[in-house]
Amino acid sequence: NMEATEINHKIRIGKRIAELRKERGLSQTRLAQLTGFDRGYIAKIELGTFDIGIENLSKISNALGVMIDFIPV
């Protein structure tokens, strides 16, 4: 089902962002500062409870020093 697939992708993306952030020793607050986003927004993305657009994903991937294709879909 398409809705379940979308939810699964949001969760996978969020977990990967959290993993990369932690590997780099960054707090959610610091990642928020680097991207210009609110810490709460970063938290929601990492939990997979918030849709992330391609532009915001690009800002986060740049802040983490990774290519936007860091997650196989």
Side-chain angles (χ1 to χ4, degrees):
N1 138 344
M2 185 72 147
E3 189 174 317
T5 300
E6 279 186 37
I7 291 169
N8 186 41
H9 286 319
K10 286 194 293 188
I11 291 169
R12 287 176 54 217
I13 290 168
K15 283 183 179 181
R16 185 67 176 128
I17 289 170
E19 183 179 274
L20 289 165
R21 176 182 59 74
K22 290 172 187 173
E23 284 175 5
R24 284 150 179 76
L26 299 174
S27 65
Q28 287 180 340
T29 300
R30 183 63 184 137
L31 181 57
Q33 290 170 343
L34 291 170
T35 57
F37 300 138
D38 184 80
R39 192 208 61 81
Y41 178 70
I42 299 293
K44 289 177 184 175
I45 290 169
E46 289 186 358
L47 291 171
T49 60
F50 203 83
D51 283 322
I52 181 171
I54 194 75
E55 287 183 29
N56 290 351
L57 182 58
S58 180
K59 287 180 183 180
I60 290 172
S61 67
N62 285 338
L64 294 171
V66 295
M67 299 294 290
I68 202 162
D69 64 353
F70 63 94
I71 300 173
V73 178

